[in-house]
Amino acid sequence: MKPGQFAYHAPKTVEEAVAMLATVAAHEGRVLAGGQSLVPAMALRLALPAHLVDINGVAGLERLATDAGELAIGACVRHARFERPVVEGPLGRLLAGVVRHIAHYPIRTRGTFCGSLANADPASEWCLVAATLGAKMVAKSVRGTRTIAAADFFQGMMATALEPDELLVEARLPILPPDTHSGFYEFNRRAGDFAIVMALAVYRIEHGVIVDPRVGVGGVEGHPRRIAAAEAALEGRAPAIEAFRAAADAAAKAVEPIDSKPELAGYKRDVTRTAVRRALEAAEKSL
Ligand SMILES: Cc1cc2nc3c(=O)[nH]c(=O)nc-3n(C[C@H](O)[C@H](O)[C@H](O)COP(=O)(O)OP(=O)(O)OC[C@H]3O[C@@H](n4cnc5c(N)ncnc54)[C@H](O)[C@@H]3O)c2cc1C
């Protein structure tokens, strides 16, 4: 199928882009970033925007830089940029390990980190990373700039705190301390498919026990999120299989799988248990 009719806008600056969005947002206006989710949806007429504001020519949005203890990722930074560590230490390694699970290489050369966050697919790897690490999203509109914490940004399946006239100009991830362990595990049927279930685990060790654990799960609920019960099962315990199993059990109990087939909920809990345990085992071996 072919997309419906739309007007195409190509701003050159962020100011022009947000001014255009202010004009068209109320008339089915949408941002076009990598187009790897929006264009297929338009081709299938699942999305019928009347206006596209293409941000690919906007100056400065390809910025990827460390800044005040954070990695700032501009709106036009493509997935493929992360295939080699973009920053020294655990964060660069974590992102390089996760990115190869996103789609296929041609898609990774166009699709953007921020586009994935704005699209908020429940099985998006970058949404899991952002939710687990506590990313900050910087949104701009003609009304000004605001920063939204990951815990408030993801609101449900394909739903975020962004207003229709807001441009996500950058996402900011905390630079992880050098002694941070991290592990990611994704279960899907074919390489390149969206995850059925995925888990990300991050922690540090002090005096032989786990501190600052973060455990996130994606693909199961409306959006990826941290699982507090799993983190509580790890805090202060030795990084060994007993603690990992306790955290995995806690995660399997805590998640509320959403699925078109309710009978799959038990299956998703089981895969969550395995995914969390494997992410923790990978984290243990990561340094
Ligand atoms: C075959 C295939 C397999 C895929 N597999 C995976 C996968 O395994 N994991 C995964 O995470 N993704 C996967 N994707 C999706 C891909 O990663 C997309 O690139 C990504 O979801 C969206 O990024 P984009 O830059 O292409 O955004 P677009 O498609 O341009 O936009 C997506 C949505 O976000 C909005 N948007 C984009 N950028 C902004 C912004 N800066 N501010 C405000 N709104 C914005 C758009 O208006 C639109 O509503 C797959 C895609 C395909 C085609």
Side-chain angles (χ1 to χ4, degrees):
M1 284 176 71
K2 301 283 178 232
Q5 279 201 341
F6 58 87
Y8 176 80
H9 309 272
K12 294 284 174 232
T13 64
V14 169
E15 289 67 30
E16 274 176 40
V18 295
M20 280 173 188
L21 276 175
T23 314
V24 302
H27 309 285
E28 301 296 324
R30 297 276 281 273
V31 172
L32 174 69
Q36 298 304 299
S37 294
L38 184 54
V39 172
M42 287 170 65
L44 294 167
R45 301 215 175 190
L46 297 171
L48 282 166
H51 296 268
L52 283 187
V53 178
D54 182 350
I55 58 169
N56 288 277
V58 172
L61 292 185
E62 294 195 349
R63 179 170 177 264
L64 179 61
T66 50
D67 178 357
E70 293 174 328
L71 178 66
I73 304 165
C76 287
V77 174
R78 319 279 164 186
H79 305 317
R81 289 277 294 276
F82 298 93
E83 292 189 2
R84 293 192 181 175
V86 293
V87 58
E88 260 183 54
L91 180 63
R93 290 198 298 274
L94 185 162
L95 298 173
V98 170
V99 71
R100 63 192 176 84
H101 294 271
I102 302 174
H104 307 280
Y105 185 70
I107 293 165
R108 296 199 289 268
T109 63
R110 290 300 303 165
T112 63
F113 187 98
C114 288
S116 287
L117 302 187
N119 197 48
D121 191 291
S124 153
E125 287 84 354
W126 290 148
C127 294
L128 175 66
V129 168
T132 308
L133 300 187
K136 293 179 204 155
M137 285 26 124
V138 182
K140 255 190 188 192
S141 71
V142 289
R143 297 182 306 285
T145 303
R146 65 183 180 127
T147 300
I148 311 164
D152 302 320
F153 184 82
F154 299 111
Q155 299 200 333
M157 188 184 280
M158 322 290 271
T160 70
L162 286 175
E163 296 294 339
D165 66 341
E166 280 184 316
L167 179 66
L168 177 59
V169 284
E170 78 181 11
R172 302 179 72 89
L173 294 175
I175 303 285
L176 300 173
D179 60 346
T180 306
H181 288 254
S182 78
F184 174 76
Y185 180 80
E186 172 166 329
F187 177 71
N188 58 18
R189 285 197 293 188
R190 290 179 309 193
D193 279 4
F194 276 96
I196 293 174
V197 177
M198 60 188 164
L200 175 63
V202 177
Y203 61 78
R204 291 188 308 105
I205 302 290
E206 269 178 21
H207 310 296
V209 298
I210 295 173
V211 292
D212 302 335
R214 284 172 177 258
V215 175
V217 170
V220 181
E221 302 184 341
H223 58 84
R225 69 170 174 101
R226 288 173 67 183
I227 309 291
E231 295 173 355
L234 293 167
E235 183 80 52
R237 294 186 66 179
I241 189 65
E242 296 74 20
F244 298 164
R245 285 213 176 104
D249 285 342
K253 251 192 226 144
V255 293
E256 294 293 346
I258 46 145
D259 213 292
S260 51
K261 296 182 186 147
E263 63 274 20
L264 287 181
Y267 166 75
K268 286 259 178 144
R269 283 185 199 282
D270 286 346
V271 184
T272 298
R273 180 180 296 107
T274 304
V276 168
R277 178 177 50 75
R278 289 189 181 173
L280 285 163
E281 287 169 350
E284 203 259 323
K285 296 188 189 95
S286 67
L287 285 186

